[in-house]
Amino acid sequence: MFDFLLKPLGWILQQLSLLCGGNFAVAVFLFTLLVNVLMIPLTIKSQKSSVGQMRIRPKMEALKKKYGDDQQRYSQELQKLYQEENISMSGGCLPMLIRFPIMIGIYRVVLSPLKYIVGVSAAEITKMQEVLNVTSKNAYQIELDIINKLENGASGFADVAEKVKNINFDFFGIDLTSTPKFNIDIVNKFELNWLIPVLAFAAAMLTSIISLRIQRKTNPDAPNMSGMMLTMPIVSLIIGFTVTAAAGFYWACSSLISGLIQPILQTVYSPQKMIAAEQTKDLYKRYKEEKSVK
């Protein structure tokens, strides 16, 4: 059903991995960097949408006061106001709406590396499962078990084994195809792949702190977002223990890279600068209209 997204995603990661000597972690980092760079226009649009909502807030409050008892009329007038002011009601959500499906895509691609990264057909995977006697009941574990057997010298599929060797899922001793499983017994049950959710938490926390500080400088009148500063890192930590290490690694990379890009955009496209620019534009428009009348 989602092959239209997963196959291109797997192909891109495969090509980046081969470009990086088979290092899948570096491929994920480069892919994340590419996605964030391509998303800069959307991020700018999101920033402009947020500033636009701030600019028309007095008009929104006036509408609420006028039509507060009639929710349907209020919604219609609010939508009309957004259209007149050329502001997108969902513009601020676009970056997250794009990032999340990509993270899920990477999660699915890594769970099925033979199909999406190595390029093995479903029929051949089924044949390999039978020949290599892979009996895992978890459908997503089957391909990982096949790869494990091929890496341990299983014979009969030399061409696939060679392709698998070209992709290295190791990240400083952490198998990125594994899924971190938290255990309360941290001392005795600790696993190295727990470091990925911790990395995702730390990256999200760093990004939140930087973003909050920039926001206080560029937009001191904005609502206090301190609660979100802790919420997002905790969400990142929880997600990190429910997806593969590769998906968690992508999430950490995304937080770090966007954490470097976002402050720059928040400074360049600060609310004060953008509102001042809009006011200057309006004043000039009025001046031209008045001059044409005279």
Side-chain angles (χ1 to χ4, degrees), residues 81-97:
L81 176 63
Y82 272 83
Q83 290 174 348
E84 290 174 350
E85 298 290 342
N86 195 27
I87 296 173
S88 171
M89 298 182 73
S90 60
C93 304
L94 280 174
M96 182 58 71
L97 289 175

Side-chain angles (χ1 to χ4, degrees), residues 149-195:
K149 292 205 172 192
L150 291 175
E151 288 178 339
N152 286 306
S155 60
F157 301 94
D159 55 335
V160 178
E162 188 61 32
K163 290 179 181 179
V164 168
K165 287 180 181 178
N166 290 332
I167 308 295
N168 181 11
F169 291 99
D170 180 81
F171 176 66
F172 293 106
I174 300 173
D175 181 7
L176 292 179
T177 64
S178 65
T179 300
K181 298 294 183 183
F182 182 74
N183 191 299
I184 197 67
D185 188 0
I186 299 176
V187 177
N188 298 312
K189 301 293 184 178
F190 174 79
E191 296 180 10
L192 195 59
N193 59 11
W194 290 8
L195 296 178

Side-chain angles (χ1 to χ4, degrees), residues 67 70-80 89:
Y67 303 108
D70 188 346
Q71 285 298 317
Q72 185 175 357
R73 181 66 186 277
Y74 171 71
S75 298
Q76 291 174 349
E77 293 296 327
L78 185 61
Q79 188 173 2
K80 183 179 177 182
M89 298 182 73

Side-chain angles (χ1 to χ4, degrees), residues 91-139:
C93 304
L94 280 174
M96 182 58 71
L97 289 175
I98 292 176
R99 277 194 182 95
F100 191 72
I102 291 176
M103 188 197 76
I104 298 300
I106 289 180
Y107 168 67
R108 291 290 303 275
V109 164
V110 173
L111 284 177
S112 303
L114 286 177
K115 180 178 180 181
Y116 295 116
I117 298 178
V118 180
V120 181
S121 67
E124 190 171 2
I125 291 173
T126 301
K127 182 181 178 181
M128 294 172 71
Q129 181 184 357
E130 294 172 355
V131 172
L132 298 177
N133 193 28
V134 174
T135 58
S136 176
K137 293 181 179 179
N138 187 334

